[in-house]
Amino acid sequence: MKMHNFNSGPSILPQEVLIQSAEAIHNFNNLGLSILEIGHRTSWFKDVLDEAISLIKELMQLGSDHEILFLHGGATTQFMQVPMNLLDNGETASYCDNGIWGSKAIKEAKLFGNVHVAASSKDKGHTYINKGFTVPADSKYLHYTTNNTVEGTQWHSLPETEVPLVADMSSDIFSRPLPYSNFGLIYAGAQKNMGAAGVNLVVIRKDVLGKVQRAIPAIMDYRNHIEAGSLLNTPPVFAIYVSLLTLRWIKKEGGLAEMEKRAKQRAGLLYNTLETLPAFKPTVAKEDRSLMNAVFVMTNPELEAPFLDACKQNGMIGVKGHRSVGGLRVSMYNALPMESVEAFVQLMKDFSDKHS
């Protein structure tokens, strides 16, 4: 039975990346050594790191003003590392609260300075993006989550602000072209669109650093990681290698414009089907629906369990919604083939016909 992987993360990877990764575990670049056992300061790994950084800058169209880091700790670590480096005691940063990850980032930032919640969508259960807000001019930065994996919302344009933009792009990184040079800082866990779990990408515009007075632990100071070229401590070598393979695949397939085209095709088919089947109901405002994570419910809640059973029987995994919101969720990251969405849509139609 063919498996269709709709997991929200760790999630689907391109088949060729899986094959190449498996080969490298046994014999990396015909060296007779595994990627798991090469030294992180060898020229072999330096080539991996340099190429990955080069591809990121190429895909994002970034110049020398931005630095690329591969760090431990996932995006969650950045909830505190960002304000530790950018927000001084007594200063204020603005945050958008559009879901669980924005809320957690706010909680961590309050440990280092003042937080102004510039926009919130709590009033409607985070089913939309609140875009009508202003950012105080004295804010050190504006932090927002570009795509809310749990709630199924996504920013389809950049927030308008004069202060530096800080973005958690964990679930839509490399899925579309954006003016990436406009951001002061971007961070993203790799395990959705750019590789395997275990590494965190951080993209920093250098002019936002060095402005806080506090003492920063060495391992948490971005400047130290920049100086060490992501080798301040032993990096997650294998996870970075899988990211390199994934970045190569994105470029080979046509880059970010092609990724966005495919994302719109997948999401368009699914959302259009949801609109036409009475058994299912989308929960997110139409203009704010995510191209990565479609969240919806059954019109009759009693049919949810039978539908999830039907998904399991047909090799469709990861469809159950996040435990905090319930319902159903289909994640459609870069590597998901259109045929998986087509198969899921057909299952929805068959189920709806059977239970209408």
Side-chain angles (χ1 to χ4, degrees), residues 67 69 204 206 209 221-230:
E67 296 282 355
L69 298 175
I204 306 174
K206 289 181 284 188
L209 298 177
D221 193 326
Y222 293 130
R223 294 169 298 180
N224 292 339
H225 288 284
I226 291 170
E227 183 179 355
S230 293

Side-chain angles (χ1 to χ4, degrees), residues 96-108 122 126 145:
C96 294
D97 183 2
N98 292 312
I100 184 172
W101 303 118
S103 297
K104 289 186 175 184
I106 289 169
K107 182 179 179 181
E108 296 296 292
K122 282 184 179 180
H126 298 305
T145 309

Side-chain angles (χ1 to χ4, degrees), residues 211-236:
K211 298 181 179 180
V212 298
Q213 300 302 311
R214 74 167 54 87
I216 303 174
I219 198 67
M220 303 307 298
D221 193 326
Y222 293 130
R223 294 169 298 180
N224 292 339
H225 288 284
I226 291 170
E227 183 179 355
S230 293
L231 298 176
L232 187 61
N233 61 338
T234 305

Side-chain angles (χ1 to χ4, degrees), residues 2-211:
K2 177 175 175 55
M3 300 298 288
H4 301 279
N5 187 352
F6 300 110
N7 275 323
S8 62
S11 49
I12 189 168
L13 286 167
Q15 280 299 305
E16 64 187 72
V17 170
L18 293 175
I19 293 169
Q20 293 163 357
S21 300
E23 290 174 350
I25 287 176
H26 294 284
N27 187 6
F28 172 63
N29 286 357
N30 292 317
L31 292 174
L33 295 171
S34 168
I35 185 67
L36 301 178
E37 60 184 358
I38 66 169
H40 65 286
R41 298 190 184 277
T42 62
S43 60
W44 303 320
F45 181 66
K46 186 177 187 304
D47 290 343
V48 169
L49 199 56
D50 288 348
E51 184 183 352
I53 291 170
S54 177
L55 281 170
I56 289 166
K57 287 201 166 187
E58 179 182 346
L59 291 168
M60 288 184 162
Q61 297 184 344
L62 297 174
S64 58
D65 291 340
H66 285 78
E67 296 282 355
I68 311 297
L69 298 175
F70 288 99
L71 303 180
H72 292 277
T76 303
T77 301
Q78 297 307 309
F79 295 165
M80 61 90 172
Q81 194 166 0
V82 166
M84 184 183 291
N85 281 265
L86 305 188
L87 180 62
D88 221 344
N89 299 327
E91 294 180 334
T92 299
S94 291
Y95 277 70
C96 294
D97 183 2
N98 292 312
I100 184 172
W101 303 118
S103 297
K104 289 186 175 184
I106 289 169
K107 182 179 179 181
E108 296 296 292
K110 287 179 178 178
L111 299 174
F112 300 95
N114 302 318
V115 172
H116 168 70
V117 179
S120 174
S121 55
K122 282 184 179 180
D123 60 328
K124 295 183 180 179
H126 298 305
T127 56
Y128 76 110
I129 298 290
N130 182 348
K131 299 176 281 289
F133 63 92
T134 57
V135 179
D138 63 347
S139 292
K140 300 303 294 183
Y141 57 85
L142 172 66
H143 176 287
Y144 77 114
T145 309
T146 55
N147 183 81
N148 295 284
T149 321
V150 172
E151 296 82 8
T153 59
Q154 185 177 26
W155 287 79
H156 296 296
S157 60
L158 270 62
E160 295 184 7
T161 178
E162 298 298 321
V163 306
L165 265 181
V166 174
D168 176 357
M169 292 191 183
S170 292
S171 54
D172 64 352
I173 191 80
F174 299 121
S175 69
R176 55 182 172 169
L178 285 174
Y180 292 101
S181 61
N182 289 4
F183 290 85
L185 191 149
I186 296 166
Y187 62 92
Q191 66 274 12
K192 301 176 189 292
N193 260 339
M194 61 165 285
V199 68
N200 183 39
L201 171 68
V202 179
V203 179
I204 306 174
R205 196 176 67 222
K206 289 181 284 188
D207 66 359
V208 303
L209 298 177
K211 298 181 179 180

